[in-house]
Amino acid sequence: MSSFVLTGARILGAAKTDIVITDGVVAEVAPGASAPGATRIDADGLVALPGLVDLHTHLREPGREDAETVESGSRAAALGGYTAVCAMANTDPVADTAGVVEQVYRLGRDAGLAHVQPIGAVTVGLAGERLAELGAMADSAAAVRIFSDDGHCVSDPRLMRRALEYVKAFDGVIAQHAEEPRLTAGAQMHEGEWSARLGLTGWPAVAEEAIIARDVLLAEHVGARLHICHVSTAGSVEILRWAKARGIRVTAEVTPHHLLLTDALAESYDPVFKVNPPLRTDADVAALRAALADGVVDVVATDHAPHTVEDKECEWPYARPGMLGLQTALPVVLHTMLDPALLDGGGEPGPARLDWDGVAERMSRRPARIAGLAGHGRDPAPGVPANLTLVDPAARVTVDGGEIASRSRNTPYAGRTLPGRVVATFLAGAPTVLDGKAQR
Amino acid sequence: MITHLLSAADLDRSTATLVLDTATEMATVAGREVKKLPTLRGRTVVNLFYEDSTRTRTSFEVAAKRLSADVINFSAKGSSVSKGESLKDTALTLQAMGADAVVIRHSASGAPHRLARWVDGSVVNAGDGTHEHPTQALLDAYTMRSRLGTLEGLRVAIVGDVLHSRVARSNVLLLATLGAKVTLVSPPTLLPVGVGAWPCAVSYDLDAVLGDVDVVMMLRVQRERMNDSYFPSAREYARRYGLDVARAARLPEHAIVMHPGPMNRGMEIAPEVADSARATIVEQVANGVSVRMAVLYLLLGGKS
């Protein structure tokens, strides 16, 4: 395998150094380090981060290859700085058997742009009625550890309890889409002043919070691990804070869009802003940012949800919920969470802000630990698998829907200028992205 | 003047007043032997109705025809729409046919806003989902002004299913713009969360409000609400929020009773009240034509 030397890189924003990659592994980190025959990559001033890990990606294959494929989604991931993505189970057919999760796993391996770790469905067909063969998926070549009915809530409390208990046998975790379905029938957007004004059926915050409250208590009762998908409300943060203080084994993710966008955007009735859970209020955004900074919310996960043009270019109530995220997640997090002084090099983070290490923790190391991906989420150091990404903190990029690698175009950030640009991504020592361009 | 009429909030006070004043002039046409003005000759108005609403569609049709516009009724049933054509494709079709104005009724809130992005002509919202129905609010305001002389300081109670009512949303916005004082009266289950930000007062008690109003506007209660836990039964709703004879007797003498129709007689309004002299229900229908003439005239008349 070939060797690379990344010159002048700043690991987690620290002083410039050179990183040597040989045979898929970081061989040396030191100023002036090199290896015979190594390809030199000019990384002068670029920030090196462990390759990003996404706990929540919809790759749509099998079933909706018109919206995204494992390959196109992996390419978007690599361009976004990701080296591993967890593929949600709500495909068609649903990833509720060893056969489907192995198919997705192999498609990811063949694409070779990111490690694709399938998530298995909790219940057969996401129907919420009986458990899928969780053990068979865990034992399969895909070695599934995260199980989720995402898109649907495991709303039956008895079934949720059993799922939490059962996956303890193989150190699995249930990732809950927290939405009490009886409170969200026909819901179109956050229930509040904007839904009242726009005449769109409301999705109340309590529908999320009630399920999180129930599930942290269930997880405590049976001594299981629980992960909460896309936390979106200030009230959810308070429940998670309480549960963590109590020692309950719960982790939680927030999406980039819930860190930046609010329900006021529905005023246009443009369904590019329709997502589930819905965009919330300014107060929720502030609470989520603070929770991510102080660790009550553990990680950022994209909930990358590609949809075809015809599923979005229509009346709001008829549109599918979801937005793209893989290629914009890091810039949105840098914009909302990184201390501005660090974007141009130097400076100390202010209150409720992250430094580069904090970004790496929430977008790489911690998600890799939750997903059980041993080769990912490790800072570049000798002997560590070379899964890393190089970011230009001084760059400002205006999002252009036409330049997105996904098959779909439903980005809510079109026209926005965001900080940071992924220059290169290495997956197991091989470049998937160089000079901002996908290598395959 | 504005390009589209999507929401009552699109109208500032002077524009709304201009619409009402223009409607007053249009009303004189209805009294003539030849009920027609040449104003919109050569213009095309499309009625694009995704929901059945004979009264609103007919009202717009009569209004456009009295202004000599060509009217095309593009109903969802029996057209390409029922074969699954998207709103955008329908919009592009109407655009290609040279529609100068599209009057749209749709079950989805915001559909007129989407349409307005895809056509060059004016879009008039004739009722979108549970959002708004601005020409209904204009005809209601017109009716109040013609009966009671002014809108400034007028005390208006809007009673019933506010949550699902496009009539209530448009009326609250327009009446606030025109200086009236609106009180919404409804069981708490039929008020939207977030109603506190609206420019109006809210009450759960009809009897506490009735003695002190100039206008009481009763909203229709849809059948499908009756079995969805918004209230225990139709009978209890009628007892607590229906305008029966006894309640109507406690209204100030000059107060008028309005209803956008169609009515559930015996549910939100007693037949005796609906047929009484203070009821404006039939007038509202006639005024609807004048107001819609004014809207079409002001949206299209200025363009060459």
Side-chain angles (χ1 to χ4, degrees), chain A residues 215-217 219-220 224 226 242-251:
Chain A
D215 287 355
V216 295
L217 293 172
E220 177 179 47
L226 168 69
W242 174 85
K244 288 189 163 190
R246 211 173 146 88
I248 297 170
R249 292 201 294 160
V250 59
T251 54

Side-chain angles (χ1 to χ4, degrees), chain B residues 124-300:
Chain B
V124 179
N125 181 356
D128 62 327
T130 54
H131 179 224
E132 285 210 44
H133 193 355
T135 60
Q136 177 72 42
L138 283 164
L139 77 88
D140 289 338
Y142 180 89
T143 304
M144 291 176 214
R145 196 176 77 165
S146 59
R147 274 282 190 122
L148 300 168
T150 180
L151 290 162
E152 183 66 45
L154 210 63
R155 298 160 303 171
V156 181
I158 300 177
V159 185
D161 180 1
V162 174
L163 178 62
H164 302 99
S165 175
R166 48 199 178 205
V167 176
R169 277 178 183 74
S170 288
N171 261 295
V172 167
L173 292 168
L174 183 69
L175 289 171
T177 299
L178 291 169
K181 293 181 173 20
V182 178
T183 303
L184 298 173
V185 185
S186 171
T189 46
L190 290 173
L191 286 167
V193 166
V195 72
W198 292 9
C200 63
V202 169
S203 170
Y204 307 141
D205 184 351
L206 180 57
D207 289 312
V209 173
L210 273 187
D212 214 23
V213 295
D214 304 303
V215 178
V216 56
M217 181 186 298
M218 305 306 296
L219 301 173
R220 175 180 170 78
V221 179
Q222 304 280 352
R223 292 241 163 254
E224 64 262 32
R225 312 290 173 226
M226 296 187 192
N227 299 314
D228 203 11
S229 306
Y230 288 104
F231 44 83
S233 67
R235 205 171 278 272
E236 173 154 325
Y237 180 88
R239 269 199 303 271
R240 292 177 66 86
Y241 295 99
L243 189 60
D244 56 19
V245 174
R247 284 201 173 102
R250 298 192 8 256
L251 285 166
E253 199 168 340
H254 68 279
I256 61 171
V257 173
M258 306 181 72
H259 194 298
M263 292 181 281
N264 295 306
R265 286 173 181 257
M267 173 75 174
E268 71 266 3
I269 189 164
E272 298 86 340
V273 179
D275 298 333
S276 67
R278 59 166 96 233
T280 63
I281 295 151
V282 177
E283 249 169 276
Q284 285 171 264
V285 175
N287 292 341
V289 174
S290 306
V291 161
R292 286 167 181 135
M293 286 173 77
V295 167
L296 291 173
Y297 170 77
L298 291 168
L299 286 177
L300 298 179

